[in-house]
Amino acid sequence: MLGELRSLAMISGGMILGTMGGKAIDKVLKVDDTLPGFQAKKFVRPAALLGAGVLGSLKLKNQDLKMLSAGVGASGVVSTVKVVLKKDLLSGLDGTPEIAAPMTVYQDPVVHSIESYEPNLPALSASSYEAEEQTIKSYSPGEVVSDYTDAEIEII
């Protein structure tokens, strides 16, 4: 487990080193991201980082240094995507991540007027319940029920 954590730490350290080195390269070359159009200066950073990452992974014998150079190469891939697609994959690290941005709820500006539904039902009266009570015959305990009729079902 410690070996895996060390590998992840070395790759992450390589990503950080690559990002810092890439910013230093951009500062030295005075790359301006706000200018529109093609600029050859923008491709120096990804090429240098990818080259350093691949060369380090091929030539170095120490496994930790190979992981470090793989992180530098990975930062080169991220900067290549940023230059080509003009989208930063790690935009959450420099500024506010899109996930943490304040969420808004869409509200339809059109006011819908819905009429209330009132069905035309007959009114209920209490007299219908009383009439049913009068038709029910009550039996006292021990009384023989002679009016009992069998149901028309047969149990097999």
Side-chain angles (χ1 to χ4, degrees), residues 15-99:
M15 287 273 303
I16 293 169
L17 284 174
T19 303
M20 290 171 48
K23 286 183 180 181
I25 291 171
D26 285 347
K27 193 177 283 187
V28 167
L29 293 177
K30 296 180 180 147
V31 176
D32 190 9
D33 289 333
T34 59
L35 295 175
F38 178 78
Q39 292 180 17
K41 290 182 189 179
K42 288 184 180 181
F43 289 99
V44 172
R45 175 183 183 169
L49 294 175
L50 279 170
V54 170
L55 188 66
S57 293
L58 291 176
K59 297 292 182 180
L60 293 172
K61 302 289 182 205
N62 187 350
Q63 191 65 26
D64 291 336
L65 292 178
K66 279 188 172 196
M67 292 292 171
L68 192 71
S69 65
V72 172
S75 68
V77 170
V78 170
S79 66
T80 302
V81 169
K82 184 177 179 181
V83 169
V84 173
L85 299 179
K86 296 180 181 39
K87 290 185 179 184
D88 192 6
L89 295 178
L90 303 175
S91 63
L93 297 178
D94 292 336
T96 304
E98 293 179 14
I99 296 172

Side-chain angles (χ1 to χ4, degrees), residues 61-156:
K61 302 289 182 205
N62 187 350
Q63 191 65 26
D64 291 336
L65 292 178
K66 279 188 172 196
M67 292 292 171
L68 192 71
S69 65
V72 172
S75 68
V77 170
V78 170
S79 66
T80 302
V81 169
K82 184 177 179 181
V83 169
V84 173
L85 299 179
K86 296 180 181 39
K87 290 185 179 184
D88 192 6
L89 295 178
L90 303 175
S91 63
L93 297 178
D94 292 336
T96 304
E98 293 179 14
I99 296 172
M103 309 230 3
T104 58
V105 177
Y106 176 74
Q107 295 178 350
D108 191 5
V110 179
V111 177
H112 298 287
S113 61
I114 300 173
E115 297 178 19
S116 62
Y117 176 71
E118 296 181 22
N120 187 13
L121 298 175
L124 298 175
S125 65
S127 63
S128 64
Y129 178 71
E130 292 172 2
E132 287 181 15
E133 279 186 0
Q134 293 174 357
T135 61
I136 297 175
K137 185 177 180 182
S138 63
Y139 297 100
S140 60
E143 181 181 350
V144 177
V145 181
S146 60
D147 293 338
Y148 179 72
T149 59
D150 289 329
E152 295 185 15
I153 58 171
E154 187 176 321
I155 301 175
I156 301 175

